Amino acid sequence: MTGELSGQATTGELGYEGALRPGSLEEFVGQSRVRQQLRLLLDAATMQQRTPDHILLAGPPGLGKTTLSMIVAAELEKPLHQTSGPAIQHAGDLAAVLSALTPGEVLFIDEIHRMARSAEEMLYLAMEDFKIDIMVGKGAGATSIPLEIAPFTLVGATTRAGLLPNPLRDRFGFTAHLEFYADDELESVVTRAARLLEFDIAAAGVSEIARRSRGTPRIANRLLRRVRDYSLVHGVAGGTDAVQAALALYDVDAQGLDRLDREVLRAVVERFGGGPVGLSTLAVSVGEEAETIESVVEPFLVRAGLLSRTPRGRTVTRMGWEHTGIPMPPVS
Ligand SMILES: Nc1ncnc2c1ncn2[C@@H]1O[C@H](COP(=O)(O)OP(=O)(O)OP(=O)(O)O)[C@@H](O)[C@H]1O
């Protein structure tokens, strides 16, 4: 997604994100069920002085998967090694990471569904027996040398749990499904971030940002920073006026839809009569990656009741038509 206000991280913002990340399960807002589940898993492991089971975090971008992996390491008082599926192109890349782990270390693999197949197989053995097989030589003379590695906890994150092969999914002792945040939870995220940024914002401004954040803390924090910029540059207070003006400038509408969300809705309505239309056709027509549409745009539009997914493709709902302002043709 190209939009500055999308759920995806951009490198330039990571410094800010780091500063706003909650450092413990208690500070982490919302997702109360996941927090309780994680608390139990970590406490039991600590009581038995063993590494906890491997953890899979599934859900759309920006809901706190990276943050939770950091919290897991902090709670266990162990170091965290971070990598991502696309960085693991060969089994050798993974072998290098696994063989350098220290006892009890937490290994975070973001976008784990994008890891190379050959590495996945190495990971199965590592997760189960804390061993890897290193292949030496090629062809008929190739042999595999078993290597013990330190016990570790894998925290995998994915926006597409359905894409993980079953043998990999089955090796996680716990899968946390992160849900979009409710408005009141996002209000807590924004209030906390405003305090850390030392930005004085009125309660009405906080609610307005929360309502327009697509249920996503990363977006809430990003909108807050744009509103803070606006209020600083224009010398106005952080109230609803500043929120409305700043978000209009960045193309975020009253329901929190950004440019790409609106383009997707309009494309289905204008070019495909409201649908159904297949994912790849839709992606081509708006010039975006199918994966971005599927993992970033769609979950939000479906949750907002503007789009529905049917076996035959994506269809814009009545509310979705209303949002585009184009009259819905009568159903024949
Ligand atoms: N529950 C939460 N409470 C407070 N802040 C949160 C929470 N979840 C996320 N955040 C904030 O949102 C930002 C994004 O979170 P994070 O990077 O963990 O998301 P993510 O799900 O890992 O996304 P991605 O998978 O795209 O990396 C962080 O800066 C963090 O401060």
Side-chain angles (χ1 to χ4, degrees), residues 29 39 154 179 193 228 231 273 288:
V29 175
R39 169 57 65 220
L154 175 66
E179 307 288 343
R228 182 202 51 181
S231 123
E288 259 301 342

Side-chain angles (χ1 to χ4, degrees), residues 49-121:
Q49 296 185 316
R50 57 170 172 81
T51 53
D53 280 5
H54 305 297
I55 300 163
L56 181 64
L57 304 173
L63 299 193
K65 298 187 289 298
T66 306
T67 306
L68 278 177
S69 76
M70 292 176 175
I71 290 177
V72 167
E75 296 271 348
L76 295 170
E77 299 183 8
K78 294 289 180 193
L80 174 73
H81 182 99
Q82 296 193 58
T83 184
S84 73
I88 302 172
Q89 306 246 320
H90 309 280
D93 298 333
L94 184 64
V97 171
L98 291 172
S99 57
L101 292 174
T102 55
E105 192 160 344
V106 176
L107 171 63
F108 176 57
I109 307 184
D110 202 4
E111 295 188 81
I112 194 165
H113 60 278
R114 295 178 64 190
M115 196 171 57
R117 270 287 130 88
S118 58
E120 264 169 19
E121 287 178 12

Side-chain angles (χ1 to χ4, degrees), residues 51 54 91 94-105 107 119 121-134 145-154:
T51 53
H54 305 297
L94 184 64
V97 171
L98 291 172
S99 57
L101 292 174
T102 55
E105 192 160 344
L107 171 63
E121 287 178 12
M122 172 177 280
L123 194 57
Y124 299 160
L125 189 63
M127 290 170 80
E128 223 158 62
D129 296 332
F130 302 125
K131 270 191 207 137
I132 52 177
D133 280 331
I134 307 275
I145 303 178
L147 183 76
E148 298 252 338
I149 55 169
F152 68 103
T153 299
L154 175 66

Side-chain angles (χ1 to χ4, degrees), residues 17 20-22 28-29 61-67 181 217-218 221:
E17 287 199 341
L20 299 181
R21 277 187 209 283
F28 192 85
V29 175
L63 299 193
K65 298 187 289 298
T66 306
T67 306
Y181 290 67
R218 177 179 294 143
N221 284 346

Side-chain angles (χ1 to χ4, degrees), residues 42-51:
L42 297 178
D43 286 354
T46 307
M47 284 171 75
Q48 294 177 311
Q49 296 185 316
R50 57 170 172 81
T51 53

